Amino acid sequence: MTTLNGGQFTIPIAALAFAVSVAWFHRSQSQKEKDNANKPSAPLPEDATIGSRGVAALPATLSYLSSFFKCLQDPCDPQDNPKGYIGLCIAENKLITDILAERLMQPGTATAAFSDSEVYGYSSFLGLPVARSAVAYFLAKRFLFPDDPTITPDQALQHISPQNIAIGSGCASLLSYLFYILGEKGDCCLIPAPYYAAFESDMSAIAGCKAFPVHIANPVMGPTPKELDLAYIEAQSKGMRVKFLLLSNPQNPLAVIYGADIVKNSITWARKRGLHTIMDELYALSVHDEHNHKFESVIRTLDNQLGNDVHFLWALSKDFGASGFRVGTLYTQNLQVLAALANLNIFSGVSHPIQMITAEILTDDEFVDTFLEECRVRLRHSYAICANKLEEMVVPYVPAEAGLFVYVDFSALLPRKDFEGEAMLRDLITDYARIVLTPGESQRDSRPGFFRICYAWTSPEVLEIAMERLSRLVVKIRKMDWSDLNEISLESVLKG
């Protein structure tokens, strides 16, 4: 099996090669920082009709968004448009939309959303009381006591208080507010790499904070205190004030689960240095094997003792396939954070009808149990389509334990072993296979040639088309010289 790191990587990464690649990455990043620091502030364009902050917000937050828009404008359809574009770069779960939609279209749900006069007026911008209570119950039942099916709402709320819950328009806004409230402009956040590409925008757009990647020898296993120390020291040597540690578990883009000891050791390390730890557990309920896995929420790992310095995020976007609802949740025991957020969240509140619907869904235990089990079945099916084809192609990948994606090593196909080579492969896949993947460079991987494949964004039928196109393209690249890869020689990639 051509997977990565022995059940995690069958093809080993030599320590020397890793060290060289990391050193190269940091040198290149350092040079970029020096070049940018020496540049004078760019004047506004003469035809600018907006201010400097508006100009700074104009570039796309994700490098691959323009290519993704092609997938929306000319989407692949097995019957009507088999040569259309296929987006495998966005981590959304479209496999379960029908189940959620069927539940939400029940007459009583719409009635609950609009019949209560409370939804028509202002309320706390941390969320409606009924919605905050529902989230608190859900977190206690699914995250703190996942093995206790008998826990009642009253018992749950004794452990997680609704007063420690905030609801905002997606986790991106809540994450942005956390950095704004807890830090200062220019503060630095350590993140184990590779990491979710939009984290950098989430922390910089409003709060003005900066990300610093923690490159580790075995990304699948998670960071060690020594590796966190090295990143901390390096960031400080560059004049950065390290204030935060951000962990995602299950990890995005690797789709692996950090063990409870990794999480606990990382938080212990952060506490010794007075840092805040932000835990992103957006894929916690998208674990592929319900019974045979090592995932444990930080809420349980810390015995619900988060203190003032550990902050937990979860949303409807991934586990419930409802990113369009814009419902994110924050659980923090830091009351000052909540007091500040109560004022700021006026800009990012969730509509009251959606909060009422969220409250109804999260407390419908029978539906949630059935929904999550069917979600796991469908995720495993699509993942198998992807993984089996990668095996057939003899392309290494990280075996996915959770989430909506798989992390793949295409480095052997690069025309040159740097990020220019990765960009050339990315463009080849986009232009001739008409598939858009998430490139590793955008996720701050120090190793060129890694890509994330988001297999839950499309139907299994379209996914099979995508993987077949990829397979044909891989065969062409291996057989031909890169200089001979062109529109004519790659015409069969789409035709089959």
Side-chain angles (χ1 to χ4, degrees):
M1 178 165 142
T2 54
T3 54
L4 300 182
N5 228 351
Q8 287 148 7
F9 273 87
T10 298
I11 299 178
I13 301 176
L16 178 60
F18 174 82
V20 170
S21 64
V22 170
W24 174 87
F25 178 85
H26 282 310
R27 281 200 303 273
S28 63
Q29 291 297 105
S30 178
Q31 187 58 49
K32 287 179 183 178
E33 291 169 4
K34 290 178 181 177
D35 292 344
N36 290 334
N38 292 330
K39 289 180 181 178
S41 298
L44 289 176
E46 292 183 3
D47 59 348
T49 58
I50 55 179
S52 60
R53 289 176 295 186
V55 171
L58 289 176
T61 55
L62 300 173
S63 62
Y64 46 87
L65 274 185
S66 60
S67 296
F68 173 67
F69 290 146
K70 296 178 182 178
C71 306
L72 301 179
Q73 296 162 359
D74 183 20
C76 174
D77 181 273
Q79 282 74 44
D80 298 333
N81 190 24
K83 294 183 182 179
Y85 284 87
I86 303 174
L88 301 180
C89 59
I90 302 296
E92 287 183 318
N93 189 350
K94 295 182 178 292
L95 303 174
I96 51 172
T97 304
D98 60 321
I99 312 174
L100 184 61
E102 182 180 359
R103 172 62 182 79
L104 294 178
M105 288 188 288
Q106 292 180 7
T109 303
T111 301
F114 293 98
S115 61
D116 193 321
S117 61
E118 188 176 22
V119 306
Y120 293 91
Y122 287 121
S123 183
S124 166
F125 285 102
L126 295 178
L128 292 173
V130 65
R132 295 171 74 187
S133 293
V135 171
Y137 167 67
F138 185 81
L139 295 184
K141 182 176 180 63
R142 306 287 169 177
F143 291 77
L144 181 56
F145 301 114
D147 301 322
D148 183 3
T150 65
I151 189 170
T152 66
D154 287 342
Q155 291 170 335
L157 299 190
Q158 290 175 14
H159 294 278
I160 296 183
S161 169
Q163 299 305 310
N164 293 116
I165 300 295
I167 300 172
S169 58
C171 277
S173 70
L174 291 172
L175 189 58
S176 175
Y177 284 140
L178 279 176
F179 285 111
Y180 186 88
I181 293 168
L182 294 169
E184 306 292 340
K185 184 176 181 180
D187 281 351
C188 173
C189 176
L190 302 182
I191 318 177
Y195 55 75
Y196 170 52
F199 276 153
E200 295 183 1
S201 173
D202 293 345
M203 68 180 68
S204 65
I206 304 299
C209 294
K210 302 176 181 179
F212 192 86
V214 181
H215 293 287
I216 50 187
N218 188 346
V220 171
M221 295 302 294
T224 65
K226 182 177 180 181
E227 288 164 333
L228 291 170
D229 261 334
L230 290 174
Y232 181 83
I233 292 169
E234 183 173 3
Q236 284 190 321
S237 72
K238 295 182 176 182
M240 296 181 173
R241 299 185 305 271
V242 181
K243 190 70 173 286
F244 306 95
L245 173 65
L246 174 56
L247 300 175
S248 59
N249 189 35
Q251 211 271 358
N252 178 7
L254 296 175
V256 298
I257 297 170
Y258 289 158
D261 57 333
I262 295 293
V263 172
K264 191 169 187 177
N265 290 341
S266 297
I267 292 172
T268 298
W269 175 88
R271 283 178 163 166
K272 288 179 179 177
R273 286 150 188 81
L275 309 184
H276 286 273
T277 300
I278 301 173
M279 285 299 307
D280 167 351
E281 295 190 7
L282 265 66
Y283 300 94
L285 304 179
S286 297
V287 173
H288 293 182
D289 189 334
E290 180 184 10
H291 303 291
N292 185 26
H293 66 82
K294 61 185 178 183
F295 177 77
E296 181 177 277
S297 173
V298 68
I299 304 174
R300 185 176 178 87
T301 298
L302 296 182
D303 195 25
N304 199 28
Q305 302 300 310
L306 305 189
N308 287 326
D309 57 347
V310 176
H311 316 277
F312 167 97
L313 293 169
W314 180 81
L316 292 184
S317 55
K318 310 303 181 182
D319 290 335
F320 279 76
S323 54
F325 284 23
R326 309 308 304 138
V327 176
T329 65
L330 165 68
Y331 174 38
T332 179
Q333 295 171 354
N334 187 319
L335 298 182
Q336 287 187 323
V337 166
L338 291 162
L341 185 59
N343 294 325
L344 292 171
N345 211 32
I346 187 173
F347 303 112
S348 304
V350 179
S351 74
H352 291 171
I354 287 292
Q355 289 193 49
M356 295 295 281
I357 290 172
T358 299
E360 181 180 333
I361 294 300
L362 295 186
T363 54
D364 185 347
D365 294 336
E366 183 177 354
F367 168 74
V368 172
D369 288 342
T370 303
F371 176 83
L372 293 178
E373 177 53 35
E374 181 60 23
C375 176
R376 282 187 286 269
V377 170
R378 297 187 184 189
L379 281 176
R380 287 196 299 264
H381 176 64
S382 287
Y383 171 60
I385 292 172
C386 196
N388 290 343
K389 202 64 181 180
L390 292 170
E391 292 281 352
E392 184 181 307
M393 287 187 270
V394 196
V395 171
Y397 63 95
V398 179
E401 298 175 306
L404 319 176
F405 34 76
V406 59
Y407 205 55
V408 184
D409 179 5
F410 287 113
S411 61
L413 304 178
L414 300 184
R416 46 188 292 179
K417 303 302 181 183
D418 56 22
F419 286 110
E420 287 187 27
E422 178 179 288
M424 292 170 68
L425 178 60
R426 176 203 65 204
D427 292 343
L428 204 71
I429 294 171
T430 301
D431 295 341
Y432 297 107
R434 294 191 177 180
I435 299 168
V436 182
L437 306 179
T438 317
E441 184 179 22
S442 70
Q443 297 160 112
R444 297 298 180 251
D445 201 321
S446 62
R447 307 157 298 176
F450 282 75
F451 289 80
R452 185 185 66 167
I453 299 179
C454 299
Y455 52 78
W457 192 83
T458 190
S459 68
E461 294 76 18
V462 173
L463 180 62
E464 287 180 342
I465 293 173
M467 297 308 296
E468 191 58 41
R469 288 184 194 172
L470 267 180
S471 179
R472 290 195 288 264
L473 181 60
V474 167
V475 169
K476 290 282 189 180
I477 293 173
R478 285 173 173 163
K479 285 185 175 180
M480 302 176 67
D481 189 274
W482 263 81
S483 60
D484 296 325
L485 297 173
N486 53 50
E487 186 174 357
I488 296 174
S489 64
L490 296 177
E491 186 179 12
S492 62
V493 171
L494 285 179
K495 289 185 176 180

